[in-house]
Amino acid sequence: MSATAGMRVFCVANQKGGVGKTTTTLNLAAGLAQQGRRVLVVDLDPQGNATMGSGIDKRQLRHSVYDLLLETAGVALARQRSDKGGYDIVGANRELAGAEVELVELERRERRLRAALDAVRGEYDFVLVDCPPSLSLLTLNGLVAAHGVLVPMQCEYFALEGLSDLVNTIRQVHANLNPELQIIGLLRVMFDSRITLQQQVSEQLKAHFGAKVFDTVIPRNVRLAEAPSYGQPGVVFDPGAKGAQAFVEFAHEVTRRFG
Ligand code: ADP
Ligand code: MG
């Protein structure tokens, strides 16, 4: 049960879709890899965007996260290399949506991912779990496996309200299933400093969450949005772009804070 010593497992979660979870996962992974860290990405979303964005065809997966959850394959068999990203990834596709239903019947249903990751303890410095936009059994598997939750968010009007369900879920998992779990930080993404409302929400966030708000801010930058269609993270696709530079800085902030 104890923390996989040395291997930090972070969930990238927010129950809203389109808030930058996958972009954060892949660019942080690539940024950490550039620092020489050994990184594993776990795509826990049946949409398979992290898989495709890492240059791996989700329609051609021999093994996937589905196998980790159903215990039909381990990480060693299911992982693939993202050559461009510099990290390993266990991919996902539509099949994973079925795992939700199948898992309900099974024992230890919320501990399957944790068990799979325990088997590769020592092989990675960081594991980043890209969660689906829900607080489902899939996300629960991520939260039970993780030391920390990293929450990307846009500084919009209802941003704080939207966080309360996630914060409550994290509290429950902390109390009942995984005492190590904590929110490690809120990352402001798709930020546009020209928009007064975004600055105001950003200030509210800092007032509310204090040091849990990462210093690094990820700007809205079209190069980050273009990168996935080339099967690579933005930090690799166009290292000179503002968004890429922000994610490289963010990866440094993460290693400063968490080793
Ligand atoms: P999620 O995984 O939460 O659904 P994504 O990471 O897929 O969110 O991001 C949603 C969309 O926004 C994608 O098309 C992505 O390319 C785009 N996007 C994410 N971050 C940025 C950014 N900083 N600037 C511009 N576009 C972004
Ligand atoms: Mg996503």
Side-chain angles (χ1 to χ4, degrees):
M1 257 311 274
S2 78
T4 46
M7 188 173 89
R8 316 294 303 162
V9 181
F10 295 153
C11 265
V12 181
N14 187 321
Q15 77 276 23
K16 278 181 69 180
V19 292
K21 290 181 291 296
T22 301
T23 305
T24 298
T25 304
L26 299 186
N27 283 285
L28 176 58
L32 291 169
Q34 285 177 0
Q35 293 178 43
R37 307 301 170 121
R38 301 165 301 165
V39 182
L40 173 70
V41 169
V42 176
D43 188 351
L44 206 49
D45 186 344
Q47 291 180 88
N49 293 345
T51 304
M52 298 296 279
S54 298
I56 289 155
D57 189 346
K58 65 180 178 184
R59 292 153 300 197
Q60 309 272 327
L61 298 177
R62 199 164 292 165
H63 296 289
S64 70
V65 166
Y66 178 88
D67 293 292
L68 302 190
L69 299 177
L70 275 297
E71 297 181 341
T72 44
V75 173
L77 193 59
R79 69 187 160 199
Q80 294 184 63
R81 186 74 180 166
S82 170
D83 290 320
K84 283 277 169 57
Y87 51 79
D88 289 348
I89 176 166
V90 180
N93 55 30
R94 290 303 314 160
E95 195 184 29
L96 183 58
E100 285 254 48
V101 183
E102 293 170 59
L103 274 173
V104 170
E105 305 279 301
L106 303 177
E107 58 179 18
R108 298 180 296 106
R109 56 178 180 260
E110 69 285 320
R111 298 186 184 276
R112 298 296 178 103
L113 182 61
R114 186 180 184 104
L117 293 177
D118 271 345
V120 292
R121 165 199 322 230
E123 292 185 43
Y124 297 100
D125 300 308
F126 290 96
V127 178
L128 302 179
V129 181
D130 186 28
C131 289
S134 65
L135 298 171
S136 60
L137 191 47
L138 292 174
T139 298
L140 191 57
N141 260 273
L143 296 176
V144 170
H147 304 104
V149 187
L150 203 161
V151 185
M153 54 186 309
Q154 289 172 259
C155 291
E156 289 171 342
Y157 190 58
F158 290 114
L160 275 169
E161 271 177 56
L163 272 182
S164 62
D165 287 342
L166 180 61
V167 169
N168 284 333
T169 301
I170 291 167
R171 270 205 201 108
Q172 282 172 26
V173 174
H174 179 272
N176 300 308
L177 294 164
N178 178 8
E180 292 172 334
L181 189 68
Q182 52 172 314
I183 292 186
I184 59 159
L186 303 167
L187 177 65
R188 292 162 286 175
V189 299
M190 298 189 224
F191 194 75
D192 187 340
S193 59
R194 295 166 304 182
I195 301 175
T196 310
L197 176 64
Q198 293 209 359
Q199 285 178 350
Q200 288 168 350
V201 173
S202 178
E203 290 310 314
Q204 280 175 10
L205 264 188
K206 281 196 277 188
H208 224 262
F209 290 95
K212 293 262 181 199
V213 181
F214 286 107
D215 296 330
T216 312
V217 176
I218 309 298
R220 185 170 283 283
N221 177 233
V222 68
R223 300 298 273 168
L224 288 174
E226 289 167 356
S229 60
Y230 295 86
Q232 39 187 296
V235 302
V236 180
F237 173 63
D238 186 355
K242 281 215 158 60
Q245 289 174 345
F247 270 116
V248 168
E249 172 52 33
F250 177 53
H252 282 289
E253 185 176 0
V254 167
T255 48
R256 270 200 308 276
R257 288 191 184 209
F258 308 106

